[in-house]
């Protein structure tokens, strides 16, 4: 059984005003096939957690560990982490001019698998994932994320999730900017990946609505750089109704 | 705004009409002139060099005398190296495009001698003709040359000049184009190899409806100085121009210069013009100069704009690609290849596009020490 263990993670970022502590001791354990939702106010550090796991160079890990099946992830390069089985569906996917979706996907798949995928099977997988995500074939020849709408960018993230077959995925607000139909389509993609590969998921969201489609096993409340409460799916409903007020008594957003 | 209008620059076909170059002149101040003194000031061999041409229906090529009527029909030198070539050539290569079916004509220069040479080429596209003329340069050469391009009314011509010289070669080229009524010129400069390579296209849109696209691609490594000064001269009404040059620089002493002068003259009403230069700096140390100049002498235009940027490799793009498992080296290659591919795709010759993609690939692996 695969697992992802985050222990006492402290992360800072350099700002014009000096070093700013963002994550202040995050503990989380995710098992194979589990779905953990993370909910928390703006600026509480959710994306920072996602980026720190993926290895974004802007964030400095002060202390703590992130272990994938017992292997320390924090000493790996960004691409090594991905090849080890981590995936980040980004809140704001980056545009890559001049690189077509199909070229990008094939290059990534080849890197992850260590060998180029057999061409026939690959085209078939690509076609079927794209059609299930209701992405027109013309996207294959477009440059990665260039001129994509917000919703199209999110679908493209999930397309990669399906094709690259990671062990664990962090989905950073994959639901934001999606209309109801798109939300359903994207959620089905995530659920397919989960059913096919036993994917473990860390799902960052502000809304309960995606949790109706992607059932969480656990819900974590994230405030001021750490997890302050954990519960089951019912906690998400409560958070949506009550907001984060009861956790915020002595925390200022962004502090 | 330049101090002096581009239109007022002195021109002459005689080298003696130009002062000795000091390096302070506006057109030379960014060029390492000490590396090309022989081409600017020295004596030049003006005999016909060994070139090979492809056999192409609808295109003829011949060596002609200095007195040939086609010579001088597209422009005249604005600086001494160009005038030196003009004063020195014995034979000019005259290429006539007459076919109305688009054809590809390739002139290959695989030079092997390093004596300073003068060159002169006149490419004439007859009215209504279609064609693609490719000038491919490689080997060892010290060359200063002029290339005249005349695009007849309603013709559509593409001229591509490719520089893949050896490191020690130096090459100065001035291209002069006149684009006729409702005619289209696509001009592409690709500079990958050579020491000092300077290709300066001046495109004159002299008749109503003339249209020019000028593209460029360069990849400068340490020790290379790749320069291009593009001049688009909107003379007539309803003329259109697009300029897009993209360069990559890698290595401590890699150097590039792009100057884009656009002049919209008093009669060029309804002009639509845009010029753009993008540089991608792949390591510490390179210097890329990027200087757009726009002079507008009529109020009644469709549009005129410019954009210029010189940036380091985008870390967010790199992170995105790496986060999908792609190693850093390969991610960089993917992005640079993509960045330059936009220009390669403009050439319109499958063979050359394939060749250049491979050549860029080689530059990239070399840059990464593979
Ligand atoms: N590069 C940076 N420079 C300065 N501050 C930063 C930087 N990156 C993050 N921060 C700050 O760190 C805090 C946490 O940001 P983060 O993006 O992780 O929040 P979030 O929980 O994902 O918020 P949201 O719900 O709005 O997406 C915020 O106060 C943010 O302004
Ligand atoms: Mg966020």
């Amino acid at each position: 059984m695969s697992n992802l263990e985050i222990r006492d993670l402290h992360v800072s970022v350099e700002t014009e005003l000096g070093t700013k502590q963002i994550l202040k001791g995050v503990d989380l354990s995710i098992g194979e096939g589990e779905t953990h939702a993370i909910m928390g106010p703006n600026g509480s550090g959710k994306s920072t957690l996602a980026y720190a796991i993926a290895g974004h160079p802007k964030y400095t890990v002060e202390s703590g560990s992130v272990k994938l099946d017992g292997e320390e992830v924090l000493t790996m390069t960004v691409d090594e982490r991905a090849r080890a089985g981590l995936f980040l569906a980004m809140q704001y996917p980056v545009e890559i001019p001049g690189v077509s979706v199909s070229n990008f996907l094939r290059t990534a798949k080849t890197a992850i698998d260590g060998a180029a995928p057999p061409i026939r099977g690959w085209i078939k997988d690509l076609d079927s994932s794209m059609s299930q995500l209701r992405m027109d074939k013309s996207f294959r020849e477009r440059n990665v994320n260039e001129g994509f709408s917000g919703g199209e960018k999110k679908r493209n993230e999930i397309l990669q999730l399906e094709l690259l077959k990671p062990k664990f995925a962090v989905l950073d607000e994959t639901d934001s900017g999606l209309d109801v139909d798109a939300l359903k389509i994207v959620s089905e993609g995530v659920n397919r990946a989960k059913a096919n590969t036993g994917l473990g998921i860390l799902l960052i969201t502000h809304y309960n609505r995606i949790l109706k489609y992607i059932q969480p096993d656990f819900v974590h409340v994230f405030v001021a750089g750490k997890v302050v409460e954990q519960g089951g799916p019912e906690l998400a409903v409560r958070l949506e109704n009550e907001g984060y007020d009861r956790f915020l008594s002595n925390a200022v957003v962004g502090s | 705004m330049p101090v002096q209008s581009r239109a007022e620059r002195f021109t002459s076909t005689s080298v003696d009409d130009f002062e000795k170059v000091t390096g302070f002149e506006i057109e030379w101040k960014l060029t390492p002139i000490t590396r090309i003194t022989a081409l600017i000031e020295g004596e030049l061999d003006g005999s016909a060099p060994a070139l090979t041409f492809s056999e192409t229906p609808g295109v003829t090529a011949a060596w002609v005398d200095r007195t040939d009527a086609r010579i001088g029909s597209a422009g005249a030198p604005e600086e001494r190296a160009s005038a030196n070539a003009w004063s020195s050539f014995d034979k000019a290569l005259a290429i006539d495009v007459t076919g109305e079916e688009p054809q590809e004509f390739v002139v290959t220069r695989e030079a092997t001698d390093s004596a300073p040479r003068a060159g002169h080429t006149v490419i004439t596209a007859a009215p209504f003709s279609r064609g693609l003329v490719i000038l491919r340069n490689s080997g060892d050469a010290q060359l200063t040359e002029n290339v005249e391009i005349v695009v007849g009314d309603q013709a559509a011509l593409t001229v591509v000049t490719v520089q893949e010289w050896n490191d020690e070669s130096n090459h100065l080229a001035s291209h002069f184009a006149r684009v006729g009524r409702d005619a289209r010129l696509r001009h592409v400069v690709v500079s990958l190899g050579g020491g000092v390579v300077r290709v300066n296209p001046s495109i004159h849109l002299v008749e109503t409806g003339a249209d020019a696209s000028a593209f460029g691609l360069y990849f400068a490594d340490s020790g290379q100085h790749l320069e291009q000064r593009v001049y688009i001269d909107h003379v007539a009404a309803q003329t259109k121009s697009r300029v897009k040059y993209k360069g990559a620089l890698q290595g401590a002493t890699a150097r590039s210069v792009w100057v884009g002068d656009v002049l919209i003259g008093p009669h060029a009403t309804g002009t639509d013009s845009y010029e753009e230069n993008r540089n991608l700096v792949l390591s510490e140390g390179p210097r890329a100069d990027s200087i757009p100049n726009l002079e507008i002498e009529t109020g009644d235009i469709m549009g005129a704009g410019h954009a210029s940027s010189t940036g380091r490799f985008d870390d967010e793009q790199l992170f995105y690609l790496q986060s999908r498992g792609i190693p850093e080296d390969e991610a960089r290659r993917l992005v640079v290849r993509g960045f330059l591919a936009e220009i390669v795709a403009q050439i319109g010759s499958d063979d050359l596009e394939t060749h250049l993609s491979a050549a860029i690939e080689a530059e990239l692996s070399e840059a990464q020490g593979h």
Side-chain angles (χ1 to χ4, degrees), chain A residues 51 54-56 78-79 82-83 87-88 90 94-99 103-104 107-108 111-112 144-145 157 160, chain B residues 246 314-328 330-331 333-342:
Chain A
Y51 278 129
H56 195 292
V78 175
D79 49 298
R83 293 199 297 274
F87 182 87
L88 168 61
M90 293 185 204
V94 182
E95 300 191 0
I96 318 230
V99 180
N103 183 18
F104 162 65
T107 307
I112 298 261
V144 177
N145 293 323
E157 295 292 283
Q160 295 166 50
Chain B
K246 286 180 138 186
D314 184 322
D315 289 337
E316 294 300 327
Q317 294 182 359
L318 194 59
F319 171 72
Y320 189 80
L321 294 168
Q322 281 190 268
S323 79
R324 274 34 176 167
I326 302 171
E328 182 175 344
E330 201 178 342
R333 282 206 293 272
L334 205 59
V335 170
V336 180
R337 202 190 283 143
F339 173 76
L340 298 176
E342 184 192 352

Side-chain angles (χ1 to χ4, degrees), chain A residues 13-16 20-23 40-49 51 58-59 91-92 172-173 204 206 222 253-255:
Chain A
V13 65
E14 290 307 320
T15 73
E16 280 156 23
K20 180 176 174 182
Q21 297 298 322
I22 304 177
L23 301 189
N42 294 130
S44 55
K46 302 180 300 295
S47 292
T48 302
L49 174 63
Y51 278 129
K58 208 165 64 184
Y59 300 92
Q91 185 172 1
Y92 302 108
D172 191 0
E173 298 200 23
I204 297 169
H206 287 288
F222 204 82
V253 173
S255 72

Side-chain angles (χ1 to χ4, degrees), chain B residues 295-316:
Chain B
E295 284 181 76
I296 305 177
E297 298 179 344
T298 170
D300 177 18
I301 58 169
M302 280 262 293
H306 59 77
S308 152
S309 67
T310 298
R312 293 299 304 262
F313 205 87
D314 184 322
D315 289 337
E316 294 300 327

Side-chain angles (χ1 to χ4, degrees), chain A residues 99-123 126 140-141 144 156 159-160 163-164, chain B residues 321 324-327 330 334 337:
Chain A
V99 180
S100 72
V101 167
S102 86
N103 183 18
F104 162 65
L105 290 173
R106 194 162 19 80
T107 307
K109 183 67 177 168
T110 304
I112 298 261
D113 290 2
I119 192 82
R120 279 244 193 103
W122 169 247
I123 298 284
L126 181 59
R140 296 202 299 217
E141 299 319 315
V144 177
N156 189 35
L159 175 66
Q160 295 166 50
L163 293 168
L164 300 180
Chain B
L321 294 168
R324 274 34 176 167
I326 302 171
E330 201 178 342
L334 205 59
R337 202 190 283 143

